[in-house]
Amino acid sequence: MNTFLSSSQEALKEQYEKYAAEEIQPAAKDLEQGKTSLKEFLQKLGQTGFLGLTIAKEYGGASGSFLEQSLFVEAASEYEAGLGLSLSAHFQVVELLKRYGDDRQKSRYLPLLARGEAVGAFCLNEEKAGSDYSLIESEASTKKESPKLNGKKLWVVNGNIATVLVVAAKDEETGKLALWLVDANDSKTVKVTAGPKKLGLRSASTDQIEFIDAKLAEGSKLEGDGKEQIEFALDVAKTILAMASIGMSQGAMKLAVEHAKTRQQFGKNIGAFQGIQWKLADMSADVSAARMLALRAAWAFDESKEEFRKFAAMAKLLSSKAARLHTGEAIQVMGASGIVEDCPTERFYRDAKMMEICQGTSELQKVVIAEELKV
Ligand SMILES: Cc1cc2nc3c(=O)[nH]c(=O)nc-3n(C[C@H](O)[C@H](O)[C@H](O)COP(=O)(O)OP(=O)(O)OC[C@H]3O[C@@H](n4cnc5c(N)ncnc54)[C@H](O)[C@@H]3O)c2cc1C
């Protein structure tokens, strides 16, 4: 499935796949069960250069493209999609800083984020503000001499390990939403509570963060239109999560194909039955189609930006749907052996459903696509 990648992108893809098979595959189950520390794992990825793929060399990154970064997430998620979710939050912060940060903000945070010495988290959702983030109540009291942030955020990926938080809150002065950079180093004013145990994507925790008069340092606001910045951050996450959904679908498909080639019933490999072949054919076609869309979105990010929003939404919509459907079909092909904890398909099946909710539900992707069609 190598489509229209350049030869250097193909080479990187192979390098990422090799790394994922050797380093991520053996750790996948322990990451999901919390036996391997995600924070330490991310630090290792940072030291190897995978957290700064799109960060400029002057800030310690690889100056690579968003498409290349997406290929890394795809390779990683073939074994552990929860890691893909964690990376999506980290990369949201990276891309926001690259696009909207000033020189001071970039030089302060990007080198730390590139090396994995700091992990990023994007804090948008609140109890009342789910899909409709205009209902955000968190507020930055910018009129005061020493600005402070107050509010409570839910479902924050990397919440318990991140030190660079990008927080959506109303600016008291303008009444408009804005994004603020907050250092999560004072546990009295930035209070993190572990999120609930959830269906899937368990290696990435989704935590509650309360800001209680949290100090906003000078220059902590990302300058620009807050709504545009939030939409940009969501589009970044959608593309990365689309690649994560595709990665896990491919992981499930490989296991199902292998099983179909080796499991004998009624005197034949089950792969000889048309009923099994059609499942695998549908899987391959749907996942390939979703992958084309996700790569198209990543390409739009790098090359044109114009249609990025539409392709990001379409890629997230179709890749998460394909993942939900086909991780289930992979289990069907594998029979009972696919539902046991030791088989990755069991985890992929739980992970896949989550992808239809996080960073914008499937219904909201359709809202965005319709908006882009200007109906
Ligand atoms: C794994 C995971 C990771 C997450 N990571 C983060 C994170 O890092 N940072 C963060 O801030 N948040 C995060 N979230 C929160 C996530 O973005 C929200 O769950 C999501 O936006 C939906 O909000 P909600 O759950 O409140 O559902 P609601 O908005 O209450 O929606 C409930 C249902 O109503 C539907 N609905 C709502 N509006 C419309 C409409 N206009 N048209 C049709 N249907 C509609 C939705 O599609 C959904 O089916 C995460 C969530 C999950 C599950």
Side-chain angles (χ1 to χ4, degrees):
M1 271 208 250
N2 286 345
T3 59
F4 39 77
L5 302 180
S6 69
S7 53
S8 65
Q9 287 166 341
E10 290 286 1
L12 281 173
K13 183 177 171 294
E14 270 174 39
Q15 185 193 318
Y16 299 158
E17 283 170 351
K18 187 169 181 294
Y19 182 86
E22 287 172 2
E23 302 293 332
I24 298 174
Q25 182 176 22
K29 197 170 149 200
D30 282 353
L31 276 168
E32 131 133 318
Q33 295 180 350
K35 292 178 189 161
T36 291
S37 149
L38 176 66
K39 188 176 178 187
E40 283 169 21
F41 203 81
L42 288 173
Q43 276 165 356
K44 191 169 104 175
L45 291 185
Q47 282 155 13
T48 323
F50 292 127
L51 297 190
L53 289 170
T54 70
I55 294 176
K57 285 199 175 124
E58 62 178 303
Y59 298 119
S63 286
S65 67
F66 188 77
L67 194 147
E68 287 157 12
Q69 178 169 264
S70 306
L71 291 172
F72 177 69
V73 174
E74 178 190 26
S77 303
E78 186 163 329
Y79 302 106
E80 176 45 20
L83 180 60
L85 177 65
S86 169
L87 290 171
S88 79
H90 186 79
F91 293 148
Q92 270 180 311
V93 171
V94 165
E95 299 303 335
L96 278 166
L97 274 163
K98 277 171 54 198
R99 184 146 175 185
Y100 298 105
D102 60 28
D103 288 346
R104 220 172 55 95
Q105 291 163 336
K106 285 183 193 170
S107 8
R108 175 161 181 201
Y109 294 112
L110 286 177
L112 297 173
L113 291 163
R115 292 195 296 264
E117 287 165 26
V119 173
F122 182 59
C123 311
L124 181 70
N125 282 90
E126 299 180 359
E127 200 171 335
K128 289 186 188 159
S131 303
D132 183 1
Y133 60 76
S134 70
L135 299 174
I136 281 175
E137 290 176 334
S138 296
E139 192 168 60
S141 57
T142 44
K143 281 184 191 161
K144 299 203 178 83
E145 216 169 87
S146 51
K148 303 253 165 47
L149 180 73
N150 282 285
K152 196 195 280 182
K153 297 290 178 181
L154 302 179
W155 298 106
V156 179
V157 169
N158 296 337
N160 64 349
I161 54 171
T163 46
V164 183
L165 309 178
V166 174
V167 186
K170 275 187 291 183
D171 184 335
E172 188 194 34
E173 209 167 331
T174 63
K176 290 188 178 160
L177 277 176
L179 293 184
W180 310 85
L181 283 157
V182 180
D183 288 333
N185 45 22
D186 180 358
S187 59
K188 282 201 190 110
T189 62
V190 180
K191 213 171 145 192
V192 182
T193 311
K197 191 171 176 188
K198 55 192 189 300
L199 175 70
L201 300 173
R202 289 181 177 164
S203 60
S205 69
T206 37
D207 304 307
Q208 175 184 302
I209 305 188
E210 193 171 2
F211 300 94
I212 311 158
D213 280 336
K215 192 170 169 246
L216 288 172
E218 204 192 327
S220 59
K221 187 176 174 183
L222 283 180
E223 286 309 329
D225 177 62
K227 186 170 178 297
E228 181 197 303
Q229 293 168 344
I230 290 169
E231 292 293 329
F232 172 75
L234 291 175
D235 294 344
V236 164
K238 284 172 203 174
T239 310
I240 291 173
L241 291 176
M243 290 302 273
S245 297
I246 290 154
M248 86 167 98
S249 300
Q250 290 175 158
M253 186 165 69
K254 279 185 191 164
L255 292 168
V257 168
E258 200 44 45
H259 191 81
K261 286 201 279 196
T262 50
R263 173 73 172 166
Q264 292 243 325
Q265 289 294 286
F266 300 101
K268 293 175 181 171
N269 288 336
I270 59 164
F273 301 126
Q274 196 178 52
I276 296 291
Q277 289 173 4
W278 284 19
K279 281 187 200 302
L280 297 172
D282 281 340
M283 214 179 276
S284 180
D286 288 350
V287 176
S288 299
R291 185 170 192 266
M292 294 282 195
L293 273 179
L295 290 177
R296 177 70 176 79
W299 179 85
F301 180 100
D302 287 325
E303 301 293 333
S304 70
K305 307 272 190 294
E306 270 169 35
E307 292 184 302
F308 176 49
R309 185 163 190 253
K310 184 171 81 180
F311 278 101
M314 295 199 296
K316 166 91 165 30
L317 176 68
L318 291 198
S319 62
S320 57
K321 187 176 173 183
R324 173 177 50 76
L325 179 64
H326 293 304
T327 53
E329 287 295 78
I331 289 179
Q332 199 65 22
V333 170
M334 298 182 72
S337 60
I339 55 158
V340 295
E341 211 183 30
D342 275 346
C343 182
T345 48
E346 183 267 347
R347 181 161 36 91
F348 292 148
Y349 184 61
R350 289 186 285 103
D351 291 345
K353 178 60 210 167
M354 311 280 295
M355 290 293 187
E356 294 191 308
I357 298 171
C358 52
Q359 300 285 0
T361 63
S362 294
E363 290 76 15
L364 263 289
Q365 303 319 313
K366 292 184 194 178
V367 171
V368 170
I369 298 162
E371 271 172 20
E372 291 296 301
L373 294 173
K374 306 202 187 331
V375 284

